[in-house]
């Protein structure tokens, strides 16, 4: 008790010095918690966006992940509905799964030949079940998803309705029809000698697919999508473009097409067996990801299926890169803060030892052991660290609250629209809170140990002679 | 010499040499002496004669270069650092010229501090601390910190701190040097009274004539060597 009393009073004795050192610790804790909260929020928001779009896990045909992008149609999962049933009804997986839905990836050429247009370009397409996709977009485990922006959507009741990327809409001259803002018309091309035969073929194919030759009542712009079927034959379907889904990455935005699964399957498989390139699983909680993945692998092995499982991080290397980048920045900041705290506490405690050398000699003469001296200064170090770190935590809560109520917005990497700028509060991240607090208190204690050892080793008579 | 007056301090051929760079400085040169119990003994000599070094050796806060030192019957040269610290905590009280109170503790807490080092129960600590505070006349200043006390009051606290654990020996290094003559006289009277009450051995290092007049045994040293040893007639008679 006397140890704590003396330690506390000595901290208060040099108020200005303690305040400066305490400020370094408090600001260090605050900076790490605020930046940690910012990173935590980015990770949560990024993960939420990915899980809403591509789920936690996707089952592919073996080899799709490595080679499938070149020819998705060749990697369709046979009888995918049976596989989905097996997964959905598995007693281990069932309570974990929120949404299970098939997807079809495809490549092809999109053409706009209506209203005097004569534009075509390659596209990266995805076929989805609209209602499942809509349900996936409501996943918000961390409470960080921005409110849904009203806009055009796919519908289970509109089998030909799709969305395209903003870049693709510009390139194909759909801006006026889609009422897009800030969307210049594509420049006129004079060299039509090579495009014409393709256009004529596409139009003819489209008309043969639509079949009737009747004039179709179209209320939205239409694209003709040409792709090779799994058998290698060309196939065309018509896509009603309901609107634009702007993508955050330009290359994707220039090539993006999303459509109902049945339409994508019709394009890729024609009248053959309709397959899916992926079975997407969205879980209730991300923490089940590893267990769900392990169970899926067990099921695949038990049923001798030629399938593989990939998680959202594997499918999005950019996510991993962002996580690593921010983690490295956080570690760097933590290192700088740690060094500042270390030097501040060492400096303060060294000055304390120098000023109290005579006092050290006195109490050593009275019978205090070397360890008693060491304990005295170490106690002062950790007490100063603990009080300052606690102040830092309080400051972090205040800064977080101020930022979270400021109404700031920002554009996350890969996003097309701004989202509210928020920080995860320390309470949301108890491990970060505890780790930062404990880390800096331990650092302050360690920093005090160096001058404390020096104090403990002082010969009593030398300490008593010190003026 | 009766058992009552058996030496509490015995020095045999003690030498203390300091090494200052390549130069050896002899602070104590082959001193042998016995100091009996419950006596008001003085080590006197001019500045730089080795008084404080001798006191430090007796107080077990410094080690001799050679020779043997027994304190309270213990050969302290053989004790390890922690054991020596515990030995000091139990047996030796210190009074310093500059008072050397712990500045962040009140007068009460400064006096209580040595009792904590010997692990005394709280109730007994309180009883003893209050008793000694009363004895030195500082009950009213119990809660005051050293910076709120006068020089005389600080030295009273230092005396109380040295005596509260009822040590065998109290070592006082120039205890009146920083006090005016009136306060010095009062402090000497207080130490005399406390010594009489507690039957403690006091060993002073001093060149204060006022204090020396109370000596029951005087060791005079010069240039680190014992040059005279005086026992006043009254003391000798009492011892006989």
């Amino acid at each position: 008790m006397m140890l704590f009393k003396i330690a506390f009073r000595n901290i208060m004795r040099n108020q200005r010095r303690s305040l400066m050192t305490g400020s370094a610790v408090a600001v260090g804790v605050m900076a790490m918690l605020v930046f940690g909260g910012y990173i935590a929020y980015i990770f949560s928001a990024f993960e939420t966006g990915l899980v809403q779009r591509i789920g936690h896990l996707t089952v592919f045909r073996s080899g799709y992940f490595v080679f499938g992008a070149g020819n998705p149609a060749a990697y369709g999962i046979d009888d995918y509905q049976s596989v989905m049933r097996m997964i959905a009804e598995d007693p281990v997986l069932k309570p974990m799964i929120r949404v299970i839905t098939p997807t079809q990836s495809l490549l092809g050429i999109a053409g706009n030949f209506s209203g005097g247009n004569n534009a075509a370009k390659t596209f990266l397409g995805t076929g989805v079940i609209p209602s499942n996709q809509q349900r996936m977009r409501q996943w918000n485990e961390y409470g960080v998803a921005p409110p849904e922006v009203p806009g055009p959507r796919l519908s289970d009741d509109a089998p030909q309705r799709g969305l395209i990327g903003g870049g693709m809409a510009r390139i194909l001259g759909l801006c006026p029809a889609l009422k897009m803002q800030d969307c210049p018309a594509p420049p006129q091309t004079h060299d039509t000698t090579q495009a014409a035969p393709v256009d004529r073929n596409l139009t003819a194919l489209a008309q043969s697919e639509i079949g009737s030759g009747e004039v179709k009542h179209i209320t939205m712009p239409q694209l003709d999508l040409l792709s090779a079927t799994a058998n290698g034959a060309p196939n065309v379907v018509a896509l009603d473009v309901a609107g634009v889904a702007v993508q955050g990455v330009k290359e994707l935005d220039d090539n993006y097409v999303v459509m109902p699964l049945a339409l994508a399957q019709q394009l890729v498989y024609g009248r053959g067996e309709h397959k899916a390139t992926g079975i997407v699983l969205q879980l209730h909680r991300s923490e089940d990801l590893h267990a769900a993945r392990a169970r899926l692998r067990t099921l695949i092995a038990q049923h001798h299926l030629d399938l593989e499982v990939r998680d959202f991080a594997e499918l999005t290397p950019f996510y991993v890169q962002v996580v690593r980048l921010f983690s490295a920045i956080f570690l760097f900041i933590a290192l700088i803060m740690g060094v500042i705290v270390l030097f501040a506490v060492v400096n303060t405690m060294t000055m304390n030892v120098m000023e109290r050398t005579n006092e050290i000699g006195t109490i050593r003469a009275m019978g205090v052991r070397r360890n008693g001296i060491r304990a005295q200064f170490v106690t002062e170090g950790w007490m100063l660290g603990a009080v300052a770190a606690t102040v830092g935590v309080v400051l972090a809560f205040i800064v977080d609250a101020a930022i979270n109520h400021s109404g700031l917005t920002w554009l996350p990497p890969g996003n097309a629209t701004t989202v509210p700028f928020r920080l995860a509060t320390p309470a949301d991240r108890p491990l970060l809170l505890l780790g930062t607090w404990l880390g800096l208190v331990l650092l302050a204690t360690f920093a005090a140990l160096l001058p404390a050892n020096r104090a403990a080793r002082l010969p009593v008579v030398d300490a008593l002679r010190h003026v | 010499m009766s058992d009552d007056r058996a030496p509490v301090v015995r020095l045999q051929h003690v030498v203390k040499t300091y090494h200052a760079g390549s130069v050896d400085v002899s602070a104590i040169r082959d001193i042998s002496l016995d100091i009996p119990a419950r006596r008001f003994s003085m080590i006197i000599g001019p500045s730089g004669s080795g008084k404080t070094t001798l006191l430090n050796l007796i107080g077990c806060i410094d080690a001799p270069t050679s020779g043997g030192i027994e304190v309270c019957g213990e050969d302290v040269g053989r004790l390890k650092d922690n054991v020596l610290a515990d030995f000091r905590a139990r047996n030796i009280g210190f009074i310093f010229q500059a008072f050397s109170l712990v500045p962040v503790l009140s007068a009460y807490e400064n006096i209580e501090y040595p009792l904590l080092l010997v692990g005394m129960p709280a109730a007994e600590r309180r009883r003893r601390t209050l008793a000694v505070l009363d004895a030195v006349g500082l009950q009213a200043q119990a809660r005051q910190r050293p910076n709120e006390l006068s020089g005389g009051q600080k030295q009273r606290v230092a005396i109380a701190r040295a005596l509260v654990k009822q040590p065998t020996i109290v070592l006082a290094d120039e205890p009146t040097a920083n006090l005016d003559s009136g306060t010095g006289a009062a402090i000497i009277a207080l130490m005399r009274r406390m010594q009489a009450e507690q039957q403690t051995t006091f060993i002073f290092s001093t060149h204060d004539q006022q204090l020396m007049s109370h000596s029951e045994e005087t060791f005079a040293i010069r240039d680190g060597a014992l040059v005279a040893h005086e026992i006043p007639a009254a003391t000798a008679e009492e011892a006989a």
Side-chain angles (χ1 to χ4, degrees), chain A residues 395-424:
Chain A
L395 288 175
F397 271 100
I398 293 169
V399 171
D400 282 359
I403 290 174
N404 288 343
H405 290 90
S406 65
L408 293 171
T409 59
W410 73 301
L411 188 67
N415 261 37
T417 53
T418 57
V419 298
F421 183 88
R422 291 180 60 82
L423 302 174

Side-chain angles (χ1 to χ4, degrees), chain A residues 141-156:
Chain A
E141 184 185 353
Y142 308 119
V144 297
E148 276 197 75
V149 181
R153 296 211 175 98
L154 303 188
S155 166
D156 290 346

Side-chain angles (χ1 to χ4, degrees), chain A residues 197-314:
Chain A
V198 176
D199 296 346
R200 276 199 298 278
N201 288 343
L202 268 174
T203 309
L205 268 169
Q207 282 170 354
S208 71
E209 281 296 316
I210 295 166
S212 63
E214 297 168 8
V215 176
K216 199 178 174 196
H217 181 68
I218 298 170
T219 57
M220 52 187 76
Q222 197 175 57
L223 289 180
D224 295 323
L225 304 180
L226 166 68
S227 181
T229 66
N231 297 325
N235 196 8
V236 170
V237 296
L239 178 78
D240 298 337
V241 182
V244 168
V246 177
Q247 304 299 301
V249 179
K250 186 176 186 305
E251 287 78 5
L252 185 59
D253 198 45
D254 289 347
N255 293 283
Y256 182 73
V257 176
V258 62
M259 67 192 86
L261 177 70
L263 188 66
Q265 288 173 324
Q266 185 189 336
L267 186 56
V268 175
Y269 303 107
R271 293 188 181 88
E273 181 197 352
H274 283 192
K275 301 177 183 180
T277 47
I279 297 170
V280 172
L281 278 78
Q282 189 184 63
L283 309 175
H284 291 286
R285 296 176 309 171
S286 289
E287 68 180 30
D288 290 336
L289 190 145
H290 295 294
R293 182 180 187 141
R295 181 58 186 169
L296 277 170
R297 282 178 170 163
T298 304
L299 282 179
I300 288 167
Q302 279 175 351
H303 291 84
H304 308 292
L305 299 171
D306 184 25
L307 300 173
E308 64 181 10
V309 185
R310 301 285 174 174
D311 64 33
F312 67 91
E314 286 175 289

Side-chain angles (χ1 to χ4, degrees), chain A residues 17-259:
Chain A
R17 188 185 302 156
S18 299
L19 188 66
M20 293 304 290
T21 309
S23 298
V25 177
V27 169
V29 168
M30 185 198 70
M32 286 172 67
L33 287 178
V34 170
F35 188 63
Y38 171 62
I39 290 176
Y41 176 73
I42 286 177
F43 290 174
S44 300
F46 204 175
E47 183 183 325
T48 298
L50 287 175
V51 170
Q52 285 182 342
R53 207 155 47 80
I54 63 171
H56 287 95
L57 294 163
T58 305
V59 178
F60 295 112
R61 181 127 161 234
S62 294
Y64 175 85
F65 182 71
V66 181
F67 303 110
N71 184 11
Y75 288 88
I77 301 170
D78 298 328
D79 196 11
Y80 69 90
Q81 285 168 326
S82 296
V83 177
M84 281 178 57
R85 265 197 306 279
M86 175 193 77
I87 294 170
E89 289 168 7
D90 180 73
V92 177
L93 289 170
K94 194 174 180 179
M96 298 181 195
I97 297 172
R98 184 172 180 271
V99 178
I100 177 166
T101 186
T103 63
Q104 176 65 46
S105 298
L106 66 157
L107 306 171
I109 298 171
N112 175 20
F113 309 114
S114 58
N117 284 296
N118 187 21
K121 82 170 297 302
T122 54
F123 73 89
L124 290 170
T126 308
V128 299
I129 294 177
S131 55
N132 284 350
Q133 192 195 39
Q134 189 53 36
R135 185 141 187 267
M136 282 175 67
R137 284 205 172 135
Q138 288 158 3
W139 188 87
N140 190 13
E141 184 185 353
Y142 308 119
V144 297
E148 276 197 75
V149 181
R153 296 211 175 98
L154 303 188
S155 166
D156 290 346
D157 301 328
Q160 280 187 263
R161 187 189 295 175
L163 303 173
I164 62 174
M168 173 159 269
R170 274 194 301 275
I171 293 164
L172 294 179
L174 290 175
C175 296
L178 294 171
K179 299 181 174 61
M180 286 175 65
Q181 304 286 323
D182 302 324
C183 184
Q188 291 296 318
T189 172
H190 300 292
D191 182 12
T192 58
T193 52
Q194 293 182 358
V198 176
D199 296 346
R200 276 199 298 278
N201 288 343
L202 268 174
T203 309
L205 268 169
Q207 282 170 354
S208 71
E209 281 296 316
I210 295 166
S212 63
E214 297 168 8
V215 176
K216 199 178 174 196
H217 181 68
I218 298 170
T219 57
M220 52 187 76
Q222 197 175 57
L223 289 180
D224 295 323
L225 304 180
L226 166 68
S227 181
T229 66
N231 297 325
N235 196 8
V236 170
V237 296
L239 178 78
D240 298 337
V241 182
V244 168
V246 177
Q247 304 299 301
V249 179
K250 186 176 186 305
E251 287 78 5
L252 185 59
D253 198 45
D254 289 347
N255 293 283
Y256 182 73
V257 176
V258 62
M259 67 192 86

